[in-house]
Amino acid sequence: MNWLIVPAIAVPLLVAAPFIAEFLRPRMNGSRRVSAPGAFARLSGTLTHYQWRGPEDGDIVVCVHGLTTPSFVWQPIAKELSDQGYRVLAYDLPGRGYSDRPDGIQNGDFFVRHLNELLKDQAVERSFILCGYSMGGAIAAAYASRHPERAKRVVLLAPAGMGHDLGPITKFAVKHEFLGKWLFYAIYPRSLRKSIAAEMHLETPIEGMHLRQMGETRLKGFTPSVLSSLRGMIDENLETAHREIAKNGTPALAIWGGGDDVIPIQGMETIAKWNPDVHQHVVEDAGHSLAYTHHREVMKAIGEFLD
């Protein structure tokens, strides 16, 4: 009978292991926030980290980061924009960076509401330029379509919402509630660190960029937030949003990496069908990391668009 005891203990432990590992991860707390640049706002009971750059009287640019990399991904672009006289606001989405990790679905409604709360907290009453990178591009499109009076221009870097390839594990995790969650918790943190390690040879002006990305995977609440966004914001069809942006006459620019294997460049054709007036630019030798590896080329395209 002893041979029955081992599987009776091992199987529940195997099932529980990914959830136990997530529960035991260190939290984002006050001691970790000591080194945070910028400031914090309490929005709907959760703490959101944000940072302003540039002259207070400059045209406002709001930068929204992507699925896994916090607002520090905007450093090179935010610096150039602020040096040019723009007033730049970058913030950490819930579940990333120095912000809190709330439970619940992270869909378009969630992110649009969160941004509105931040803008209200910061007394941003005038219209602004809205920039989004990867999933941030999907958030920016969702926001601009609903608030055309606020977003006067939209800049999208490798935007989600036109199709993506995040691999079979992610597809399974999105479609299957419990088994998908178990598999995602078990595999994703290590898989993401492996993907980041494969890009450590890429040059970027952001100090410690790749190690900081890896550090996110080791904090409690990051993996659940990513999965929640995959099942929410990333899984949403944004055709209506882009058609609404076109209908409202909001100028939009989409910038793509010619070698992007996460958000395929074929998205250019899709967004052009939805918004025939969209301006498009391709950084030929860039991958999905174009925001922090090819910021000069990206800034050139942004500068021409804003001019």
Side-chain angles (χ1 to χ4, degrees):
M1 295 295 292
N2 288 341
W3 61 274
L4 291 174
I5 297 175
V6 175
I9 297 174
V11 172
L13 283 176
L14 180 64
V15 172
F19 302 105
I20 294 173
E22 172 60 26
F23 178 78
L24 294 176
R25 295 187 195 281
R27 293 177 178 271
M28 173 53 64
N29 53 29
S31 63
R32 293 179 182 274
R33 290 181 171 125
V34 170
S35 61
F40 293 86
R42 187 162 292 281
L43 311 174
S44 296
T46 64
L47 215 56
T48 294
H49 170 249
Y50 65 89
Q51 184 177 16
W52 284 99
R53 295 179 177 86
E56 292 187 5
D57 61 346
D59 285 345
I60 294 175
V61 180
V62 178
C63 297
V64 189
H65 68 77
L67 180 67
T68 63
T69 305
S71 61
F72 61 72
V73 74
W74 286 106
Q75 283 180 8
I77 294 174
K79 182 181 185 305
E80 294 218 20
L81 285 169
S82 61
D83 287 347
Q84 293 177 20
Y86 290 95
R87 179 71 167 159
V88 184
L89 172 62
Y91 65 102
D92 288 332
L93 295 172
R96 289 87 171 170
Y98 293 106
S99 291
D100 280 346
R101 275 84 167 131
D103 296 327
I105 190 67
Q106 295 189 1
N107 55 18
D109 291 340
F110 172 82
F111 286 119
V112 169
R113 183 173 62 250
H114 179 258
L115 178 52
N116 266 332
E117 290 180 2
L118 178 61
L119 295 171
K120 183 178 180 180
D121 179 87
Q122 294 300 294
V124 176
E125 298 178 351
R126 50 192 165 121
S127 60
F128 53 86
I129 300 159
L130 183 56
C131 296
Y133 170 43
S134 193
M135 183 181 76
I139 296 171
Y143 187 93
S145 69
R146 303 181 196 190
H147 299 282
E149 77 288 355
R150 304 301 310 278
K152 60 182 179 181
R153 286 177 180 264
V154 182
V155 177
L156 310 173
L157 276 62
M162 267 69 69
H164 53 270
D165 183 12
L166 298 175
I169 293 175
T170 299
K171 290 179 182 178
F172 183 89
V174 169
K175 292 181 179 179
H176 300 83
E177 181 59 36
F178 179 78
L179 285 178
K181 186 175 182 180
W182 178 86
L183 184 64
F184 197 77
Y185 280 29
I187 294 177
Y188 184 75
R190 182 176 295 181
S191 174
L192 180 57
R193 288 194 294 271
K194 185 177 179 181
S195 297
I196 295 168
E199 292 189 343
M200 291 188 75
H201 67 285
L202 298 177
E203 293 185 9
T204 172
I206 303 175
E207 185 176 355
M209 172 73 192
H210 300 99
L211 293 178
R212 293 170 73 178
Q213 284 179 303
M214 289 183 183
E216 289 289 304
T217 69
R218 297 186 170 93
L219 290 175
K220 186 174 183 178
F222 171 79
T223 300
S225 292
V226 171
L227 179 57
S228 181
S229 293
L230 287 168
R231 290 174 169 176
M233 187 75 258
I234 296 292
D235 207 38
E236 291 184 16
N237 187 316
L238 292 178
E239 178 177 357
T240 300
H242 285 283
R243 291 190 181 278
E244 196 67 22
I245 290 171
K247 178 182 175 182
N248 294 330
T250 306
L253 167 68
I255 305 175
W256 309 85
D260 194 336
D261 58 359
V262 176
I263 306 292
I265 197 171
Q266 286 79 7
M268 289 182 67
E269 300 176 10
T270 303
I271 195 173
K273 291 177 182 176
W274 298 344
N275 182 358
D277 297 323
V278 67
H279 300 262
Q280 305 217 58
H281 180 83
V282 179
V283 182
E284 292 293 349
D285 60 341
H288 193 62
S289 56
L290 76 169
Y292 54 92
T293 59
H294 292 71
H295 69 281
R296 289 187 179 87
E297 293 93 328
V298 169
M299 267 305 305
K300 185 174 184 296
I302 293 175
E304 292 173 354
F305 172 67
L306 296 183
D307 288 342

